[in-house]
Amino acid sequence: MQQIYLDHNATTPIRPEVVEAMLPCFTGTFGNPSSVHWAGRQAKQALETARDRVATLIGAKSSEILFTSGGTESNNLAVHGVLKPRGANPARIVTTPIEHSSVLETVKALGADGAPVDIATLTVDSQGRISPGELEAALTPDTVLVSIGLANHEIGTLQPIRELSPTIRERAIPFHVDAVQAVGKIPVDVNQLGVDILSLSAHKIYGPKGIGALYVRQGTALSPVFRGGPQEREKRPGTENVAAAVGFGCAAQLCAQDIETTHPRLIHLIARLWDGIQRHIPDVARYTPTQACLPNTLNVGFAGASGEGLMMGLDLAGIAVSTGSACAAGSVEPSHVLLAVGCDEAGAKSAIRFSAGRDTTEEDIEAVTHVLPGIVERVRKAGRSG
């Protein structure tokens, strides 16, 4: 049976070059990077080289990169790390309703410890974009953090971060951007964007799982979430995962080399997929914007069909897609992202997300558009008879 992988927003297959780069860390370069002897120095050098490569990918200084266990930890550290020094003082956080759960759930939980936290949730339009005017109006003297994702994980919408940042920074408010889905798919430069804190993850750019990073602009106050050691600039204690960091660094270097050629090819593949869906399947709705969106993402609603049923039907045909975020897999609730952009519950539950990657071919897209109409027809028929 054919196997076609169109769920790259959930995770990407690790590149062979990355695996090869990591292998010495399990044998020769095995030391603890905090140790001062030769084994420790070797591991430390490997770790710092990886840090340099990740920093270069996003236009940062090496000293501004903290390694974490992934995007979820990076987002948690960003939110808690900024809020912690406020103590019991009133604090406002400005965010959006379409953020990843690692931001939304973290923000919601902040008031549980008794500290007064006001959460200002901006509205989004039908394409998932916020209003600069509404953002400016939401910034009060008590605002201690603005957290907005650069690229939405479900529909691919890009927020105009570069245009928003001057309004935030002129008020000296830390600006956190979750760029986990953006890095590797579009060029990301922290200085051009004008952000203070930025989250990224290796397994979204063909690196290993279990390793991420948090960019913290020099001079930005950030407290550690837990204690135990001086590692990672005393912001994230614990012995670093050197092998995973090396893999991340290798993936970042390869990503920087490939992005200019990969970007237009992904745009072409997604356009071809959408064209095939439109031509062969009636009653479909495109939830991914046609402009200012990730080049690899297409979220489509199929009226009268269950997104879960479509996903299972495609899986039986050897085609991997998603109904939304992998972190929400198994949830019976409709996508919070699609509800926020104006979908009703039925429309949100009829959607599936296609996300292409560097190894996706035109033959893959052709195969999907060949089998998808029949699957949609069967799922719709099953829904009517049920």
Side-chain angles (χ1 to χ4, degrees), residues 113-284:
D113 59 2
V117 178
D118 174 30
I119 303 168
T121 304
L122 306 174
T123 58
V124 293
D125 62 19
S126 61
Q127 295 192 328
R129 293 194 182 88
I130 66 171
S131 161
E134 185 183 358
L135 169 64
E136 186 169 8
L139 303 178
T140 67
D142 290 334
T143 303
V144 297
L145 179 69
V146 176
S147 181
I148 299 174
L150 175 52
N152 183 262
H153 52 294
E154 291 193 26
I155 60 176
T157 301
L158 299 179
Q159 298 290 358
I161 299 297
R162 189 172 182 174
E163 287 70 37
L164 300 174
S165 60
T167 300
I168 300 166
R169 299 194 71 196
E170 70 185 12
R171 291 166 171 78
I173 299 169
F175 188 11
H176 167 242
V177 167
D178 177 359
V180 166
Q181 287 292 346
V183 172
K185 301 183 181 89
I186 61 171
V188 174
D189 186 293
V190 292
N191 295 303
Q192 291 180 5
L193 292 175
V195 303
D196 301 298
I197 311 172
L198 182 138
S199 304
L200 56 162
S201 179
H203 79 102
K204 305 295 188 180
I205 62 168
Y206 307 92
K209 298 175 183 66
I211 185 77
L214 188 67
Y215 158 78
V216 183
R217 184 180 294 277
Q218 185 174 346
T220 301
L222 188 81
S223 294
V225 172
F226 49 94
R227 304 287 176 176
Q231 294 89 347
E232 298 304 302
R233 312 310 194 256
E234 299 186 342
K235 305 301 184 187
R236 201 266 185 176
T239 301
E240 295 94 341
N241 186 341
V242 177
V246 167
F248 193 179
C250 179
Q253 187 176 46
L254 293 170
C255 178
Q257 296 169 359
D258 294 349
I259 194 166
E260 288 188 9
T261 56
T262 302
H263 188 277
R265 194 177 68 81
L266 291 173
I267 291 176
H268 168 74
L269 291 174
I270 290 299
R272 185 167 177 174
L273 176 59
W274 175 234
D275 180 65
I277 291 173
Q278 283 185 297
R279 284 191 291 111
H280 299 297
I281 305 173
D283 299 321
V284 297

Side-chain angles (χ1 to χ4, degrees), residues 39-121:
R41 293 196 301 272
Q42 288 178 351
K44 183 70 170 179
Q45 181 59 53
L47 184 69
E48 295 310 314
T49 298
R51 198 186 308 276
D52 289 342
R53 290 173 174 174
V54 173
T56 298
L57 178 62
I58 60 171
K61 300 174 184 175
S62 179
S63 60
E64 296 173 319
I65 299 295
L66 310 176
F67 284 120
T68 68
S69 65
T72 292
E73 186 189 340
S74 291
N75 285 339
N76 272 261
L77 178 55
V79 174
H80 283 291
V82 170
L83 266 289
K84 199 171 181 180
R86 297 287 295 187
N89 294 322
R92 163 173 274 214
I93 297 177
V94 179
T95 189
T96 85
I98 63 171
E99 299 304 309
H100 189 270
S101 58
S102 60
V103 171
L104 292 179
E105 294 302 319
T106 301
V107 168
K108 287 178 185 176
L110 284 171
D113 59 2
V117 178
D118 174 30
I119 303 168
T121 304

